[in-house]
Amino acid sequence: MNARRRVVVTGIGAVSSLGNNVVDLWQKILNCEAGITKLGSEFKGLPCQVAAQLPREQLQIEKYLSKSDLKVMSRATQLCIYATEEALQTAKLDPKELNTDTLERFGVCVGMGMFDLSEVYGAWQQLQKGYNRVSPFFVPRLLPNMPCGHISMRHGLRGPNHSVSTACATGSHALGDAMRFIRNGDADIMLAGSGESCIDPLSIAGFCRIRALSTAFNEIPSQASRPFDKNRDGFVMGEGAAILLLEELEHALQRKANILGEILGYGLSGDAYHITSPSEDGTGAALAMFRAIKDAQINKDDVTYVNAHATSTPAGDRIEAQAICKVFGDHVNKIRVSSTKGHHGHLLGSSGNLETVILIKALATNKIPPSLNVEELGKDICVNVVTKPEVWSHNSQQRLVALKNSFGFGGTNSSLCVASYIS
């Protein structure tokens, strides 16, 4: 029986409220900075007045995209293109220099959790003025698979072209699916991740109506997202994109790539419970973690850190913490846990992939990123939460192993097992 193909990470790119590159993102997380700010006047009257918005004046999107590109691409697609360029640069891989055979085994798996509702509202307003006022690019700009399509067309990538849209688990599912394409022999290289840009009045109003967003810290935005804290009261919407370049190990070694980490396993599950709330017993979350550990072919005691999905909602953080305790049992006392959403907000469908980029940096630097704004740990939180950057100690195998959790509306769950690379 042939040995299972190993999948490593050789490139990372990201744009978020903490900056337009991975270096700035990671440094600001270590500095315990938050990219959450006050919303503008167009959001007046809404219960939530904060969001993790991109520093757009610093984002030179025209560096990669022409005016005609901007017309046909949604904002989320533009951000995916931007992050892709950084991922390719860090991987030192230029598709223009690859031969046809390689391009045919180079795929894309990039998704989007939800499209920008302002696009729909704007098109409706134009329709009231006449049919011909509706842009011919309206529908293509909405489609969740268009980031995937544009990346593929831009670089001539003819491998698997696969898009994921599973709410807030989108980014993690995209990475897991891409890993399996490589492991199963469908591709040798994959660009994977997600983009999200839907901070608009209608989206904020919609999430406010289901009481999902923080409203208690409108005057102190930097403290609004506080995963695991006693006074957490809802998540803070964020925007951005993150793309990772995954590669089959031997392919990476042959081109002498710098290997940043390895994806060992991938677990999926469904809550089968409620459209927006996780199941109270945490069964769905626990199943995803159990399956990721099994798929990684490791023991649960090998895991020493969990990068949590925890979005700063009262129920969600509690249930995930209980699920982590259920999975690891007595070993949970040796598990460190944190959620970085206090820094960059909740990017919905682009949260799991952005947080995996952060996890890759944590592996590379032996530093565990902190949970921000934990002034007093909630009494219902049963895990060891990291509140300041910590040194990440190796286990007996001299390898760092972590889980990355992501959960979405509709009860869709994903867990990735990610580790430092050893030959």
Side-chain angles (χ1 to χ4, degrees):
M1 184 176 178
N2 293 332
R4 188 165 73 168
R5 285 160 58 100
R6 294 171 64 182
V7 181
V8 294
V9 178
T10 57
I12 50 177
V15 55
S16 72
S17 63
L18 295 179
N20 58 8
N21 59 71
V22 173
V23 172
D24 288 349
L25 167 70
W26 181 239
Q27 190 57 55
K28 289 180 179 179
I29 283 176
L30 293 183
N31 292 343
C32 295
E33 296 181 39
I36 299 170
T37 56
K38 190 92 169 175
L39 288 167
S41 58
E42 66 271 32
F43 296 85
K44 184 178 179 180
L46 298 180
C48 177
Q49 289 291 307
V50 298
Q53 303 166 90
L54 291 176
R56 302 196 181 202
E57 67 281 358
Q58 301 174 20
L59 189 64
Q60 298 174 328
I61 205 80
E62 65 277 3
K63 182 165 62 173
Y64 300 124
L65 298 171
S66 66
K67 289 183 179 179
S68 59
D69 288 331
L70 299 179
K71 284 183 180 180
V72 302
M73 295 181 186
S74 67
R75 182 68 175 173
T77 298
Q78 296 169 26
L79 298 178
C80 286
I81 295 290
Y82 198 101
T84 295
E85 295 299 327
E86 185 184 10
L88 289 170
Q89 290 166 15
T90 59
K92 296 182 179 179
L93 190 64
D94 186 351
K96 295 185 181 67
E97 298 176 355
L98 303 178
N99 59 37
T100 300
D101 289 344
T102 302
L103 291 172
E104 289 180 354
R105 295 190 57 78
F106 192 156
V108 187
C109 185
V110 176
M112 185 189 304
M114 62 181 278
F115 52 75
D116 185 352
L117 296 183
S118 64
E119 293 263 6
V120 179
Y121 181 63
W124 172 254
Q125 288 181 312
Q126 292 301 314
L127 180 60
Q128 305 315 298
K129 300 175 184 178
Y131 159 75
N132 290 329
R133 299 293 293 272
V134 176
S135 169
F137 305 119
F138 168 58
V139 170
R141 284 171 66 96
L142 288 185
L143 296 176
N145 73 312
M146 276 302 165
C148 200
H150 280 292
I151 293 169
S152 173
M153 291 182 285
R154 182 180 180 86
H155 297 291
L157 310 179
R158 300 187 183 90
N161 188 307
H162 176 67
S163 182
V164 179
S165 186
T166 50
C168 302
T170 296
S172 290
H173 277 143
L175 292 171
D177 289 353
M179 180 270 285
R180 285 186 174 176
F181 287 136
I182 296 174
R183 181 194 283 175
N184 293 344
D186 298 310
D188 295 323
I189 318 170
M190 293 289 299
L191 284 164
S194 180
E196 203 81 277
S197 183
C198 50
I199 298 177
D200 60 78
L202 188 54
S203 294
I204 296 292
F207 280 107
C208 283
R209 287 292 292 155
I210 56 174
R211 300 182 180 181
L213 299 183
S214 172
T215 60
F217 298 88
N218 286 337
E219 300 309 315
I220 39 176
S222 64
Q223 297 181 30
S225 180
R226 44 201 315 115
F228 301 120
D229 183 69
K230 174 185 176 182
N231 294 317
R232 64 190 187 274
D233 76 316
F235 73 79
V236 173
M237 180 113 50
E239 60 181 345
I243 301 293
L244 291 82
L245 192 139
L246 310 186
E247 202 165 346
E248 191 273 325
L249 175 60
E250 293 304 318
H251 190 280
L253 293 174
Q254 285 177 12
R255 69 177 191 86
K256 299 180 180 179
N258 180 30
I259 298 175
L260 306 174
E262 181 172 1
I263 300 183
L264 301 180
Y266 173 38
L268 308 86
S269 72
D271 279 352
Y273 178 72
H274 190 268
I275 57 172
T276 58
S277 299
S279 55
E280 276 294 324
D281 60 3
T283 297
L287 282 172
M289 286 184 272
F290 276 127
R291 290 165 181 170
I293 292 168
K294 181 179 179 181
D295 188 51
Q297 299 180 347
I298 62 169
N299 296 316
K300 66 180 181 181
D301 291 357
D302 294 328
V303 177
T304 52
Y305 170 58
V306 174
N307 186 281
H309 178 69
T311 64
S312 187
T313 62
D317 294 12
R318 168 179 53 82
I319 291 169
E320 183 176 8
Q322 291 172 348
I324 292 170
C325 291
K326 180 178 182 179
V327 169
F328 291 101
D330 293 340
H331 180 63
V332 78
N333 293 325
K334 297 180 181 179
I335 299 283
R336 308 302 285 160
V337 178
S338 69
S339 166
T340 56
K341 290 183 174 71
H343 303 263
H344 51 68
H346 182 19
L347 277 68
L348 306 181
S350 198
S351 60
N353 47 315
L354 179 71
E355 291 153 18
T356 302
V357 166
I358 293 167
L359 177 53
I360 291 295
K361 290 298 294 182
L363 291 166
T365 58
N366 286 18
K367 292 179 180 177
I368 296 177
S371 278
L372 209 56
N373 297 319
V374 182
E375 296 176 353
E376 182 180 349
L377 195 67
K379 293 181 180 180
D380 53 356
I381 302 301
C382 58
V383 293
N384 297 314
V385 178
V386 177
T387 58
K388 294 180 180 179
E390 288 186 8
V391 174
W392 190 351
S393 301
H394 289 78
N395 59 16
S396 59
Q397 295 179 316
Q398 295 302 301
R399 183 180 208 182
L400 301 174
V401 182
L403 291 186
K404 166 66 224 147
N405 290 337
S406 293
F407 314 128
F409 282 179
T412 179
N413 308 306
S414 171
S415 187
L416 296 169
C417 184
V418 186
S420 51
Y421 166 71
I422 58 173
S423 58

